[in-house]
Amino acid sequence: MVTPFSDELRKYRPAFERVKILDATLREGEQTPGVSFTIDQKLEIAKKLDEIGVHMIEAGHPAVAPDVYEAVRRIAWMKKEGEIRAEVVAHSRAVKSDIDKAAETEADRIAIFYGVSDIHLNAKHKKTREEALSIIGEMVEYAKGYGVKVRFTAEDASRADLQYLEQVVKTARDAGADRVSLADTVGVLTPWTAQKFFEHMVKAVPNVEYDIHAHNDLGMALATAFGAVMGGATAVHVTVNGLGERVGIVPLQLFAVAVKVHFDVELVKLSGLMELTRMVERYSGIEVPYNMPVIGDYAFLHKAGVHVAGILADPRTYEAFPPEMIGRSRDYVIDKYTGKKAVKAKLEKLGIKVDDDTLMKILEEIKRSNLRFLTDDALISIAEKVSGKVLRPKATENVEAVVWVKVDSNAFTGSVARRLSNIEGVKEVSEVTGDYDLLVRIEAPDHKVLNTILDTVRGMKGIVGTHTQIVLKKLEK
């Protein structure tokens, strides 16, 4: 990637080569409003995180609930059995009972957190600075007594008094913590202040590794993480799809891809990101926004005629990186902004070739339609109208059908289901287990309409396979 001052940026490549990814989807991610993973879902997510090469998995806070405890214990057991390689981290308050619970799970590391800003000390803990230092030192030492690695998280570090924060980190380090996480708890750091912040702390309190835990309240988490690594952080906390308290933390997929694009460093197996994205979207019930960078439905969907023409000539004109890097593909929107090159490319993809005069008439008809999205079926209808040719087979008879739908591992089941439910004639869409992902019930007055609906379903972005069954008889109650 060549940009202005890219040579200046490249000097930080060694920092990004050695940075570790800590995924906190199972702990921070489950703190997303409305999210609650089952134990089996957590085990499956942990295996997939390990499969792509995440360095550390924060498996949960065992003292929160029995199922959280059991999930952490079983993930730690998977590590001992050699099923996963990532370091397993158990979260804990600076309380002995929490630490005892975390130790019982036999996780590799116990991560103790305590608020260190005056806001947290006064409003939440109701402790003086000196009392807090005593608690931090005592609890880190207590956890270390279990013979495990210990991380201390300085909660709200980005709003703490800097000199006091130095005392906090020294206390944790001297008590046995080999890692200290500096949390930007309400997301107020910027890339520049994050870099300066970590440069200062690394110099002021050496001989300890620093993590960045950046929240996304102002939309700065990813950029803040970059600044922190440039300043000396050696681990970045992330979650799949950016889940977490309020608006979440650094999205794993965005951080990993950004590091690859800017430094050509592949921290995790990028080809596995979309399958993980889809898995967590399904289990969390939180759909990825269409316009989310890298993983959203619109990330490689091009609309304006000038853009599509550029993409058809050279995808680099409007793409920072090729979608194939993460196992995705590009597509084009057909609507009033569309140019003739996009229409021609889409028709050819559908196996339809027309001459230039017909192409221009089709384009004029599209622009008059003023539809937000033109489906493949609607485009074919316009092409048939303009050309006067039948471009699909005809059929007759009344019919009702059920369609089993297989969704691409790079697509989002919830998003595909939502789009299917908007098709006229589709009466019901259900997510199912087994070889297929969705079950669609269709009612049509005849085979012609059914075939039109089926063409729309099969041509929908994100669908890789269907199996259709015609309903012969129905037993009504």
Side-chain angles (χ1 to χ4, degrees), residues 156 158-159 184-190 193 215 217-218 220 224:
D156 207 26
S158 55
R159 293 191 295 174
D184 185 20
T185 301
V186 294
V188 293
L189 287 176
T190 67
T193 56
H215 277 263
D217 297 71
L218 297 176
M220 302 283 279
T224 292

Side-chain angles (χ1 to χ4, degrees), residues 159 170 204 237 351 429:
R159 293 191 295 174
K170 286 176 183 176
H237 295 195
V429 181

Side-chain angles (χ1 to χ4, degrees), residues 43 70 87 96 152 156 196 203 262 264 272 333 381 468:
L43 299 182
E70 182 61 17
E87 179 178 288
K96 286 185 177 181
F152 175 71
D156 207 26
K196 295 302 177 185
K203 183 177 180 181
H262 287 292
D264 196 26
V333 172
S381 294
T468 303

